[in-house]
């Protein structure tokens, strides 16, 4: 596996038929499932690790975001990646940088509302990475369901011509969606965090038993979440037949979602 730190070397190392997995590192089984999928579907796979400062608000966790490059390098290698692109912030945003990519509609609710400017940062970084790597396909987790929708829209709107592949959320044995931010949880908070997937599963069950009203289902999720004293709801919302939630467990903001349709 080739490790590349500069934009110019990455541009000259590109090749047709490349699969791409953008990440912020501190890789877990969710990321590895994206890398393996890309490896199985493409001639070559590039993974990027870039903790993108532009998608964090000043009061968010950019400085404390978990990092472990040595471990990530060996995980990428084991998963079969061919290229690991690890630019630093000056490489991605050199002095004088002033162009940002933003959407007008899809970023209005959910995480876009709770984290103003977040998706502008995500889209700017992803658009740059798309231009630098020029992949044929790019792989994103369905856990970040709004991010997936936003990236799909941006890719279509700006004619990137890249196939965007959404991949299933990978979960811990108790149901908690894998996330690099799970590392912030104390043992007590980690136990409490299972309430996210439990409340979504509960809604799915109600739906399977005949409840079709999305507002009743969202209320049921809210009520379930409220039974956990360590959980503070940021939002319980829906995008069509997907119920999406963001919940603080202590200071850690976790997201999850479930598709209640078929
Ligand atoms: O999902 C992430 O890890 C990030 O938002 C991404 C897509 C790598 C952009 O920085």
């Amino acid at each position: 596996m080739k490790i590349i730190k500069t934009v110019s070397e990455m541009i000259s190392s590109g090749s047709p038929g490349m699969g791409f997995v953008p990440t912020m590192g501190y890789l877990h089984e969710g990321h590895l499932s994206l890398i393996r999928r890309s490896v199985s579907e493409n001639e070559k796979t590039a993974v990027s690790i870039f903790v993108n400062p532009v998608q964090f608000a000043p009061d968010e966790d950019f400085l404390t975001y978990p990092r472990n490059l040595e471990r990530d390098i060996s995980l990428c290698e084991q998963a079969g990646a061919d290229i690991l692109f690890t630019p630093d912030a000056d490489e991605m945003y050199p002095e004088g940088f002033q162009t940002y990519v933003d959407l007008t509609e899809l970023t209005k609710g959910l995480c876009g509302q709770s984290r103003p400017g977040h998706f502008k940062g995500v889209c700017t970084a992803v658009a740059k990475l798309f231009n630098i790597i020029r992949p044929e396909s790019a792989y994103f987790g369905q856990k970040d369901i709004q991010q997936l929708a936003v990236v799909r829209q941006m890719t279509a709107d700006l004619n990137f011509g890249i196939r965007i592949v959404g991949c299933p959320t990978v979960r811990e044995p108790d149901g908690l969606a894998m996330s690099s931010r799970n590392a912030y949880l104390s043992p007590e908070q980690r136990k409490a965090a299972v309430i996210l997937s439990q409340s979504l599963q509960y809604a799915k069950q109600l739906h399977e038993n005949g409840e079709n009203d999305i507002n009743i289902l969202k209320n049921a999720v809210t009520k379930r979440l409220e039974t956990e004293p360590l959980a503070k709801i940021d939002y319980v919302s829906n995008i069509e037949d997907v119920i999406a939630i963001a919940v603080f467990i202590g200071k850690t903001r976790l997201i999850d979602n479930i598709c209640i349709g078929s």
Side-chain angles (χ1 to χ4, degrees):
M1 185 179 74
K2 196 168 169 185
I3 300 174
I4 298 178
K5 288 182 171 6
T6 64
V7 168
S8 58
E9 193 188 349
M10 185 63 239
I11 288 174
S12 57
S13 301
S15 58
M18 186 103 91
F20 173 45
V21 182
T23 83
M24 298 206 299
Y26 211 72
L27 304 179
H28 51 67
E29 223 11 78
H31 299 112
L32 299 180
S33 73
L34 306 180
I35 300 172
R36 289 190 203 107
R37 172 104 178 248
S38 173
V39 168
S40 75
E41 292 181 356
N42 300 278
E43 273 171 36
K44 279 195 170 177
T45 289
V47 177
S48 65
I49 294 181
F50 177 58
V51 186
N52 173 30
V54 180
Q55 70 187 71
F56 292 80
D59 61 341
E60 290 184 343
D61 56 343
F62 172 68
L63 290 174
T64 55
Y65 195 83
R67 292 161 169 91
N68 188 341
L69 188 58
E70 285 309 303
R71 184 170 167 273
D72 288 347
I73 290 171
S74 89
L75 288 172
C76 283
E77 217 151 26
Q78 283 165 38
D82 300 281
I83 293 176
L84 178 59
F85 181 47
T86 60
D88 63 22
D90 290 341
E91 194 63 23
M92 288 290 278
Y93 304 114
E95 221 184 297
F97 183 89
Q98 53 186 291
T99 304
Y100 293 86
V101 181
D102 207 358
L103 280 71
T104 55
E105 302 305 318
L106 266 181
T107 52
K108 272 183 178 157
L110 291 87
C111 292
Q113 186 166 337
S114 312
R115 304 183 66 189
H118 169 66
F119 286 117
K120 180 176 168 185
V122 169
C123 286
T124 302
V126 171
K128 280 179 67 76
L129 290 166
F130 281 179
N131 278 329
I132 294 164
I133 293 169
R134 302 201 177 252
E136 195 167 294
S137 303
Y139 297 77
F140 292 83
Q142 285 167 353
K143 180 178 74 79
D144 298 88
I145 193 76
Q146 190 178 17
Q147 171 171 280
L148 177 59
V150 162
V151 168
R152 273 193 205 290
Q153 185 73 39
M154 174 191 78
T155 303
D157 287 351
L158 298 184
N159 305 98
F160 275 109
I162 295 168
R163 185 173 72 108
I164 303 299
V165 185
C167 302
T169 302
V170 178
R171 296 179 181 281
E172 299 287 355
D174 67 357
L176 177 66
M178 290 203 184
S179 163
S180 306
R181 289 190 169 97
N182 292 349
Y184 296 143
L185 302 170
S186 69
E188 191 195 4
Q189 290 170 336
R190 169 63 189 81
K191 270 192 204 153
V194 76
I195 196 68
L196 277 86
S197 58
Q198 276 177 358
S199 65
L200 292 170
Q201 278 301 334
Y202 176 56
K204 182 148 179 105
Q205 213 172 12
L206 289 177
H207 177 68
E208 280 166 8
N209 293 341
E211 183 53 72
N212 279 321
D213 186 326
I214 193 78
N215 289 321
I216 292 180
L217 293 171
K218 283 193 292 186
N219 268 335
V221 171
T222 303
K223 289 230 164 65
R224 221 0 120 84
L225 287 169
E226 283 170 353
T227 63
E228 173 49 63
L230 297 185
K232 191 173 155 279
I233 298 173
D234 180 10
Y235 65 73
V236 173
S237 195
N238 70 294
I239 312 176
E240 293 166 11
D241 59 356
V242 174
I243 299 182
I245 60 178
V247 178
F248 284 94
I249 303 287
K251 284 189 177 150
T252 305
R253 185 177 174 280
L254 300 175
I255 58 174
D256 200 353
N257 64 81
I258 200 162
C259 179
I260 51 167
S262 46

